Amino acid sequence: MFGRKKSKAWRNLECVYRRFRDTQMRDLFVADNMRGEKYSLHLDNMMVDYSKNRIDDNVMQALFGLARERGVEEKIKAMFSGEKINQTENRAVLHIALRHSGQMPIYVDGRDVMPQIHNVLDKMRDFSEAVRLGTFTGYTGKKLTNIVNIGIGGSDLGPFMAVEALKPYWARDIKCYFISNIDGTACAEVLNKLDPETTLFIVASKTFTTIETLTNAKTCRRWLVDALGEHAVSKHFVALSTNKAEVEKFGINPDNMFEFWDFVGGRYSMWSAIGLIIAIAVGYKNFAKMLEGAEAMDKHFATTDLEHNIPVILALIGIWYNNFYGIHRYAVIPYDQYLQYLPSYLQQLDMESNGKSVTLDNKLVNYATGPVLFGGAGTNVQHSFFQLLHQGTEIVPVDFIVPAISHNEIGNHQPILLSNILAQGEALMHGKTEEEAALELEKAGKSKAEIARLKKYKSFSGNRPSNIIVFKKIDPYALGMLVAMYEHKVFTQGIIWNINSFDQFGVELGKQMALNILPEIEGTAFGVEHDSSTSGLINYIKKLRK
Ligand code: G6Q
């Protein structure tokens, strides 16, 4: 595809699909007992088994052909060298520079960005250590033990997910909180728990104009000033932003600002100053380990041939389902309680990046782009939506993620968890024929009539794909690798679909539209024209709020 015409590689994939589409994975496993090993890749302490997918060598070759035709290798180079690949916003895309530890300069507009990145990282190190050691205290001299991140979207989901994922590394005496939603409940429920003297607010906003964040920050500022006075603000508020002028206007001393830059997209920003709460929670050394893990994945992505490149392979398999099988969804299921917020984080990363309909050549796409992503922690979700995954009419490819070793090795919990994840992958792939179901029922002593009545219900079509991603343990390094792997997967898919994965005009629309309706709800504007549904709702809500 691309533009209106189908490309050579795309047409080739359509042929391959027509021949391959009914192939059953269980037959492929029987035909090749090395399949598991053949379609697995290792990087450090991570293994990605992608053998339980509807693929064979022919399919993969055709997919690599598409990647080459789309210039994936060149585009990866372009991103790493600071080219302005976010063309609608005329920006470079350099989250990779945030974790680049080498000496190599990275230029944007002829200027090496590495020194400023390292300056901010140094400032984050010094500040997070000072808070943890209690050498930077609150206004009354008390240690700051409650850290509140106020931010939304990209300025919330990454740090929130990572702080939760790295709970075993938390300083014992420091508690972290997140206020994102404009719903007053979010603010009230956090502030109710806190003592102003021991609370540090981190206002995280790239633009420093987001209404939710600024409103929440103002409420928190008032709460603090009411208790400790205006002079206390500089000891209890810091800002993470690209917008110094707005930070000052808000009343936060620019010395208390940790800067980042336009070349860091919101949803790619947890490696930047936006990660400050992570550094405070788990210590800067662990934060740096997370950057190192991401850098290891960056190096792998930038230097490994497509045929052994983990993010590229995951991306291509996603394309295979999305654009050829017509499966426009996938689930991410971490079997690790600490990773329970990973699916929400990835939901933004993937759906905000690739939920696009216009190509880089300014044409409407005539093929599917970003899929719907959902998920939750296993084994819990086995007891909720897995029924549909096994027997529903929708096929949902799954990414299973699991550490071999838990941070809490209690009794045989982890072996049970591990056997569950492996059994799920196997069951989805293998399925159960009616004959197999009948045999099981017979063994269980059921009558012939019962067997005939039940065997359809008890059978599973199988041939349902999954990737299994295994780590030794979810430590900061592993988390860095995992998140960077998904970032690069999403980027690769964006290249293939010829879309810009780095803008988000859909999010901005919401920001503008709410501002138009606000004066009406507040009763300072009247008679603004809307559709009859919106006008009716505005009037009804106003009546209820009187
Ligand atoms: C992320 C998006 C969006 C953004 C939030 C918060 O890529 O741009 O989720 O992060 O809207 O924006 P600010 O950080 O500017 O407040």
Side-chain angles (χ1 to χ4, degrees):
M1 206 72 55
F2 310 113
R4 312 310 298 174
K5 276 206 263 131
K6 290 176 184 172
S7 74
K8 198 172 155 209
W10 195 277
R11 276 184 278 122
N12 181 38
L13 269 159
E14 284 181 338
C15 289
V16 172
Y17 172 70
R18 277 194 291 275
R19 284 199 303 271
F20 187 82
R21 66 181 163 204
D22 297 323
T23 307
Q24 298 294 306
M25 285 189 273
R26 69 195 282 180
D27 297 335
L28 296 173
F29 273 97
V30 171
D32 178 4
N33 62 8
M34 296 302 282
R35 182 177 168 88
E37 197 175 310
K38 182 171 175 191
Y39 295 122
S40 291
L41 288 165
H42 293 259
L43 185 63
D44 294 340
N45 276 330
M46 173 198 195
M47 173 181 174
V48 178
D49 178 341
Y50 61 99
S51 62
K52 293 193 207 69
N53 280 295
R54 297 180 183 184
I55 54 160
D56 66 2
D57 285 353
N58 227 350
V59 171
M60 289 311 296
Q61 255 168 36
L63 287 167
F64 291 126
L66 176 67
R68 294 226 154 77
E69 185 188 81
R70 295 292 317 134
V72 165
E73 287 144 313
E74 295 75 18
K75 298 267 170 57
I76 294 174
K77 283 200 183 85
M79 174 167 80
F80 277 77
S81 61
E83 268 182 45
K84 295 195 174 171
I85 60 169
N86 176 356
Q87 61 169 51
T88 51
E89 297 178 312
N90 194 29
R91 289 177 185 165
V93 176
L94 281 177
H95 42 284
I96 55 103
L98 301 167
R99 52 236 190 179
H100 170 57
S101 63
Q103 295 306 310
M104 226 179 56
I106 298 179
Y107 294 102
V108 175
D109 291 328
R111 195 164 150 231
D112 180 11
V113 297
M114 291 316 301
Q116 50 182 352
I117 288 175
H118 287 141
N119 283 344
V120 175
L121 287 174
D122 289 348
K123 187 170 168 180
M124 287 169 69
R125 182 199 55 215
D126 295 347
F127 184 73
S128 58
E129 278 170 8
V131 171
R132 284 166 65 90
L133 289 171
T135 51
F136 182 97
T137 63
Y139 184 61
T140 58
K142 284 198 181 158
K143 187 170 176 178
L144 295 164
T145 51
N146 297 306
I147 318 297
V148 185
N149 191 82
I150 307 172
I152 196 163
S155 300
D156 167 69
L157 287 162
F160 178 51
M161 177 277 293
V163 163
E164 283 297 318
L166 301 178
K167 207 172 204 164
Y169 300 85
W170 285 8
R172 290 207 170 276
D173 59 342
I174 290 182
K175 285 208 171 76
C176 295
Y177 303 86
F178 291 82
I179 300 178
S180 55
N181 203 337
I182 187 61
D183 183 343
T185 303
C187 233
E189 283 297 329
V190 170
L191 293 180
N192 279 343
K193 295 186 192 114
L194 302 179
D195 169 3
E197 288 184 87
T198 55
T199 301
L200 173 71
F201 293 100
I202 300 177
V203 188
S205 177
K206 180 172 167 179
T207 54
F208 231 79
T209 56
T210 307
I211 190 165
E212 291 95 327
T213 301
L214 292 191
T215 309
N216 281 325
K218 273 183 204 146
T219 301
C220 293
R221 195 179 192 282
R222 210 178 315 120
W223 176 83
L224 184 99
V225 169
D226 285 350
L228 302 179
E230 191 66 36
H231 291 298
V233 172
S234 67
K235 297 294 272 177
H236 293 266
F237 270 84
V238 298
L240 322 173
S241 189
T242 58
N243 193 342
K244 202 166 164 183
E246 286 298 324
V247 169
E248 268 192 280
K249 212 161 102 190
F250 179 84
I252 295 180
N253 185 338
D255 291 345
N256 284 359
M257 169 173 157
F258 296 77
E259 196 189 0
F260 63 113
W261 310 271
D262 272 352
F263 55 76
V264 181
R267 56 194 172 277
Y268 298 88
S269 65
M270 69 179 222
W271 325 96
S272 71
I274 292 292
L276 184 65
I277 193 166
I278 311 173
I280 297 175
V282 303
Y284 187 81
K285 271 196 188 133
N286 282 319
F287 179 73
K289 281 263 169 233
M290 189 181 83
L291 300 188
E292 264 176 48
E295 187 181 24
M297 185 55 74
D298 295 342
K299 281 190 182 146
H300 167 83
F301 180 57
T303 60
T304 309
D305 60 319
L306 301 185
E307 283 74 6
H308 300 94
N309 195 310
I310 294 170
V312 170
I313 287 172
L314 295 180
L316 291 174
I317 292 173
I319 300 268
W320 181 230
Y321 295 134
N322 200 44
N323 298 103
F324 297 90
Y325 279 94
I327 300 171
H328 308 303
R329 64 202 78 87
Y330 76 108
V332 176
I333 317 291
Y335 276 61
D336 182 295
Q337 193 60 34
Y338 291 127
L339 286 179
Q340 61 179 314
Y341 298 113
L342 182 74
S344 334
Y345 167 78
L346 293 178
Q347 219 160 34
Q348 185 197 22
L349 176 69
D350 200 329
M351 293 168 74
E352 200 167 289
S353 296
N354 286 341
K356 309 284 165 65
S357 318
V358 181
T359 67
L360 289 169
D361 328 305
N362 215 351
K363 295 192 178 94
L364 280 179
V365 294
N366 53 349
Y367 45 87
T369 59
V372 173
L373 187 163
F374 67 99
T379 58
N380 290 6
V381 292
Q382 286 177 208
H383 302 265
S384 60
F385 60 72
F386 264 46
Q387 168 59 35
L388 183 146
L389 268 49
H390 284 288
Q391 289 189 308
T393 50
E394 300 288 327
I395 303 290
V396 184
V398 181
D399 282 358
F400 289 109
I401 300 162
V402 72
I405 302 171
S406 167
H407 283 285
N408 300 290
E409 286 282 340
I410 307 169
N412 63 347
H413 286 235
Q414 193 65 3
I416 294 175
L417 178 117
L418 287 162
S419 42
N420 264 284
I421 193 174
L422 299 179
Q424 288 295 331
E426 192 170 34
L428 285 166
M429 180 278 285
H430 197 268
K432 194 185 283 175
T433 61
E434 276 188 39
E435 295 69 46
E436 286 164 344
L439 211 66
E440 264 184 29
L441 288 164
E442 198 184 314
K443 275 191 193 149
K446 300 285 179 201
S447 70
K448 281 219 163 70
E450 274 177 309
I451 295 172
R453 190 172 61 80
L454 287 176
K455 64 179 184 182
K456 259 200 179 56
Y457 297 108
K458 298 255 186 183
S459 70
F460 296 79
S461 62
N463 211 26
R464 297 180 180 225
S466 64
N467 295 303
I468 301 201
I469 301 160
V470 184
F471 288 92
K472 185 173 178 190
K473 206 168 189 173
I474 303 295
D475 56 18
Y477 187 91
L479 182 70
M481 281 176 77
L482 179 65
V483 174
M485 178 188 86
Y486 276 106
E487 286 178 346
H488 297 325
K489 174 200 162 185
V490 165
F491 171 49
T492 305
Q493 293 189 325
I495 300 171
I496 303 223
W497 290 321
N498 196 26
I499 53 176
N500 182 2
S501 302
F502 302 106
D503 59 14
Q504 56 282 314
F505 296 114
V507 180
E508 279 145 41
L509 172 77
K511 292 188 185 184
Q512 286 157 14
M513 289 186 67
L515 286 182
N516 293 341
I517 293 182
L518 178 63
E520 291 179 80
I521 301 272
E522 287 186 323
T524 56
F526 304 92
V528 182
E529 228 176 89
H530 294 287
D531 61 81
S532 59
S533 161
T534 309
S535 301
L537 286 164
I538 291 174
N539 291 335
Y540 184 63
I541 288 169
K542 281 173 74 173
K543 205 164 96 192
L544 291 181
R545 284 178 61 79
K546 255 192 194 144

